[in-house]
Each structure stands twice: as C-alpha cells, then as structure tokens.
C-alpha cells in the first residue's frame, strides 16, 4: 500500500512538471511572437504582459463593460451552475430509469433521440419566447447542454452492469430495488461522473452563447462587448478566466468522485 502511494505521488509530481513545462513553452512562444517579433499589432494580438496588466486592472475597475472581473465571474457562475445542476438532477435519474426500467426506456428513448442531435444554439430563439431574456432563458440553454451527456452516460453506466453480478445478488435474495442500489449504481458511478464532467464542460462552453441573450454582466458578455470595442486584451482575459474557472470546477468534481466512487477515479 505504501509503495502504491509513493508511485501515485511520483506520477502526480511528474504530471505537474510536464504541465508546468507545457504552460511555460506556450507563454514563451506567445511572448516572442508578440513582444519580440511583433508579428501582429498589439490591438489585435496583445502580449502576455499586456494581458496580465489588463487582468490586474480588471480586478478593481468596472470600465469598459460595467463590472469588475469578479462581478462577471459571479454572474456567469450563477447562470452556468443553475443550468448545470438542473441538468444533472434531472438527467442522471432519467438515464438510470431508462436503463433499469424497460417501459421507461421504450417511452423516453424515441423522444430523447429526437432532441439529442439538436445543437444547443438552436434552442436560443425558443428559450427567449418561453422564458424572456432573463436568468431563466440562459439557465435553460445551459440545462439543455448539460442534460444530454448526463442521460447518455448514466444510461450506459447502468447497462454495463454484468448480468452475473445481478444473478448472484438475486440468488442471495436481493430485490430489484436492492440490485439497483447495491450492484448497478456502484458499477455505473464512474461513467455517471464522466457524464457529469462532460456536462460541466459543455455547460461552461455554452456560457458565451447563453450570455448573448441581452446580458449586462458575465464573462460571455464581457467578451462580446470588448470585441465591439476592439479590446483584444480583455477578450483574452475573459477567455482565460473561463478556462481557469472551468478547471477549478472540474477539480471540485474530481474530489467528489474520489469521495463517492469506490476505488477512486481510474487512470
């Protein structure tokens, strides 16, 4: 056990070093292309130093888009998490029910297969008609993007349960409900959390589209407004912030997975 922990620690350190080197290489190339070679004007492609200066300034200043960076982050988190949590709360149980109960599968699958291929952005006009241009419409768009992966992965996780395990449980007197909660769900948990991670990524990526709905605050709004103002530095600040916050949320989800999935996350 001690050797396993040491190997795991060494693997984590190695991964951290490689990740740090890749980031250093990326920012070095960016700096050389912009600040040294000046391949593009700084109003089109600013250097990392200019982006860092804009980031520090945006922490305390509301200009030119009406909110500080933390204000935009808070507004975006409210939209993204409300839609994401709703998609997970509905999508995961629905996927489990579709996989476990044949009648639910027969009834829901045709409807789900009809909705699944529709791009998230195609829902925007309909959401405006249904919910207006407030938080409800934006959260509904995030919900659609998060809902589909949750259903698919939950369904696949339950379906991959080995029949022999169910037979053994049944032999020992387990009811259908007991088999679901003691055999099928624990087996499906890794795939369910994979679906939650995918949903979180798609929800966060859909954020910019959702915040096109007449927003006055949020990272997507910040990017869109500064595009019209020609502020490439603030556009990049918004993009990097979306990436950083998304990585942080994924890290929190990974911690929860280690807590609830037996054996922790594989790989």
């Amino acid at each position: 056990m001690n050797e396993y922990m040491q190997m795991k620690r060494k693997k984590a350190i190695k991964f951290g070093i490689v990740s740090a080197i890749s980031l250093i290489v990326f920012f070095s190339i960016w700096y050389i292309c912009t600040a040294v070679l000046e391949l593009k004007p700084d109003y089109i492609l600013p250097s990392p130093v200019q982006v860092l200066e804009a980031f520090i300034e945006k922490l305390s200043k509301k200009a030119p888009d009406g909110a500080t960076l933390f204000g935009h982050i808070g507004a975006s988190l409210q939209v993204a998490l409300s839609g994401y949590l709703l998609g997970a709360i509905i999508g995961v149980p629905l996927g489990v029910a579709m996989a476990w109960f044949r009648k639910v599968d027969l009834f829901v699958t045709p409807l789900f297969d009809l909705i699944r291929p529709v791009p998230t952005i195609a829902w925007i006009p309909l959401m405006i008609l249904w919910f207006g241009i407030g938080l409800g419409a934006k959260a509904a768009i995030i919900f659609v993007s998060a809902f589909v992966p949750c259903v698919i992965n939950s369904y696949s996780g339950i379906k991959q349960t080995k029949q022999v395990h169910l037979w053994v449980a049944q032999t020992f007197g387990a009811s259908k409900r007991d088999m679901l909660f003691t055999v099928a769900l624990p087996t499906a948990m890794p795939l369910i959390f994979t679906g939650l991670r995918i949903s979180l990524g798609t929800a966060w990526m859909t954020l910019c589209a959702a915040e096109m709905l007449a927003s006055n605050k949020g990272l997507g709004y910040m990017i869109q407004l500064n595009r019209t103002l020609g502020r490439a530095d603030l556009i990049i600040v918004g993009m990097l912030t979306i990436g950083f916050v998304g990585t942080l949320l994924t890290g929190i989800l990974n911690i929860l997975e280690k807590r609830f999935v037996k054996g922790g996350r594989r790989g």
Side-chain angles (χ1 to χ4, degrees):
M1 185 67 180
N2 194 27
E3 291 182 2
Y4 171 76
M5 294 300 295
Q6 289 180 351
M7 289 177 59
K8 192 173 181 180
R9 192 177 296 110
K10 288 181 180 179
K11 186 177 179 180
I13 293 173
K14 183 178 179 181
F15 178 79
I17 293 173
V18 173
S19 299
I21 291 174
S22 67
L23 290 174
I24 291 171
V25 170
F26 170 75
F27 284 107
S28 298
I29 293 174
W30 180 8
Y31 180 81
I32 292 171
C33 291
T34 54
V36 179
L37 300 178
E38 297 182 351
L39 298 179
K40 291 287 185 180
D42 57 6
Y43 63 86
I44 295 177
L45 181 61
S47 70
V49 175
Q50 291 173 300
V51 172
L52 179 61
E53 291 172 350
F55 170 78
I56 295 172
E57 181 181 305
K58 195 63 187 157
L59 291 175
S60 58
K61 291 189 177 182
K62 294 184 178 181
D65 43 55
T68 63
L69 186 60
F70 287 116
H72 287 304
I73 292 173
S76 292
L77 282 174
Q78 184 183 17
V79 173
L81 291 181
S82 57
Y84 169 73
L85 291 175
L86 186 62
I89 290 171
I90 296 177
V92 172
L94 180 61
V96 171
M98 289 167 61
W100 192 251
F101 302 104
R102 179 166 175 76
K103 290 181 179 179
V104 176
D105 193 11
L106 292 173
F107 181 78
V108 177
T109 296
L111 299 174
F112 180 74
D113 287 341
L114 183 66
I115 294 172
R116 181 175 59 178
V118 180
T120 303
I121 296 194
W123 288 91
I124 292 179
L126 194 59
M127 295 306 178
I128 294 176
L129 290 175
W130 286 353
F131 302 105
I133 57 175
L135 173 63
K138 288 174 277 189
I141 294 169
I142 300 292
F143 162 78
V144 172
S145 68
F147 171 76
V148 173
C150 283
V151 173
I152 293 174
N153 282 270
S154 300
Y155 183 93
S156 300
I158 296 295
K159 284 295 187 183
Q160 78 170 4
T161 305
K162 292 182 179 179
Q163 193 64 40
V164 65
H165 293 163
L166 297 176
W167 288 338
V168 171
Q170 195 172 25
T171 301
F172 282 94
S175 64
K176 193 171 179 67
R177 180 181 180 277
D178 292 333
M179 287 189 289
L180 173 62
F181 285 98
T182 62
V183 180
L185 275 176
T187 301
M189 274 298 176
L191 262 182
I192 289 175
F193 269 94
T194 298
L196 290 173
R197 278 197 302 274
I198 295 172
S199 295
L200 182 61
T202 55
W204 202 238
M205 286 188 293
T206 310
L207 185 68
C208 290
E211 289 181 339
M212 290 179 188
L213 301 179
S215 296
N216 56 11
K217 192 181 287 187
L219 294 170
Y221 168 78
M222 173 182 164
I223 291 172
Q224 290 296 324
L225 183 63
N226 283 290
R227 178 186 64 82
T228 63
L229 297 175
R231 289 293 304 271
D233 53 347
L234 288 177
I235 292 174
I236 295 175
V237 168
M239 293 169 61
L240 292 177
T241 302
I242 288 176
F244 176 77
V245 176
T247 301
L248 182 63
L249 293 175
T250 302
I252 294 173
L253 195 58
N254 288 339
I255 293 173
L256 292 174
E257 180 179 4
K258 291 177 181 179
R259 170 68 178 82
F260 290 104
V261 177
K262 187 177 179 180
R265 184 180 172 188
R266 294 179 182 179

